[in-house]
Amino acid sequence: MTERERVVRMSVEQPLWRALTGYRVLTMGYAVLLFVFTREKFERPWVAVGFLAVLCVWTLATLPKVAGAASCTRRFLVADLALALTGILLTPLADAQAQSIEGPTLPTIWTAGSVLAYAIKGGWRWAGFASSLVAVANIIERGHPSRDTVHNVLLVWVASIAIGYVVEVARASERTLARALEIEAATRERERLARDIHDSVLQVLAMVQRKGTALGGEAAELGRMAGEQEVALRALVAGGLARPSHVSEDESQGAVVRIVEEPDEPAGDGPSDVRALLAPYAGSRVTLSEPGAPVLLPPAVAGELAAAVGAALDNVRRHAGEDARAWILVEDWPDEVVVTVRDDGPGIPEGRLAQAEGEGRMGVALSIRGRLRDLGGSAELVSVPGQGTEVELTVPRGKAQR
């Protein structure tokens, strides 16, 4: 059993095993008390006393066996059910009138605990097998299938199978959930790596392509190869399988990029001031507006938020032109931090973002929205052709602290 299966099984079944442990102890006490108050009607009370003594010792000694699925072995289940069946079949020997007068058997409802152990351990099929044996033993004990006996047998049979089925469904659901969580974790790690690649390797390749094309000669060939690798790497990051064999003229002429070094995260475990991380982005064409007081967030959160702002500014330089102006507005609210990046560029044509994602250009999808999603926040992009673009980054403080 793998660690994941062990965790799933414990999370689903542990409350059921605890309930079964309490049920067995309580029904053991009920069987003993029932005999004490009705002992006058037993022709051979010593038979009942002997069986109940064994039942009490067995129940208390095997409490660790019903503490979980791992300790509840098949050998224990067989012995436990055998004890319950023996008690049912010994009832006429202890009470000669048991076959003519409808009454409880020696183990009484303790027998249901054995059947339930089968249901929790093996599901509805095991429950059906155990309850069928109990049904046969009850009919033999009564000597004939009376109405009350049939009702009791059907009740145990249906209840145990229903519980076994519920256990199987719960196990399947939690296995599916565990698998989904694994896939989600793998996807998030893949997106994190893709963001790092987008913010570093892809930009370097684009710069090499541009410089090589401008220099000409052998450098142009180097630039062409760098362009091919950039497109191929973008396709890999986006999950594409095709490897482009050439770079279009538009791509070779339009791969203008400026590398922006992300501010290092401050050392230490204390909160970071978002203003300090965004200050390096300010310049002659980038205006930073910030509160007078520090805007504090956990270091990792502040670093990711600053990286998302850097990705937004990089998109401004690449798509709005070197002469475009940008404004950064930092707002510090009690429950969230909001950073808005606005530019005066030509805006984004409708459908361009979806097209860019299809081409493997994941700047907005990964470097901006992906980062904010991982922080529990959101990234809203509003763009009107001819009126610039505005990106609003929101980080809730509660989620950011966690």
Side-chain angles (χ1 to χ4, degrees), residues 381-399:
L381 188 147
V382 178
S383 181
V384 178
Q387 299 182 22
T389 302
E390 180 177 299
V391 180
E392 184 178 272
L393 311 175
T394 303
V395 178
R397 287 191 178 276
K399 293 183 179 180

Side-chain angles (χ1 to χ4, degrees), residues 176-197:
T176 302
L177 176 61
R179 179 58 180 162
L181 292 176
E182 288 181 355
I183 294 174
E184 181 185 7
T187 301
R188 288 183 180 275
E189 179 63 15
R190 179 176 178 273
E191 290 183 355
R192 185 190 66 80
L193 294 175
R195 288 197 297 267
D196 293 342
I197 292 173

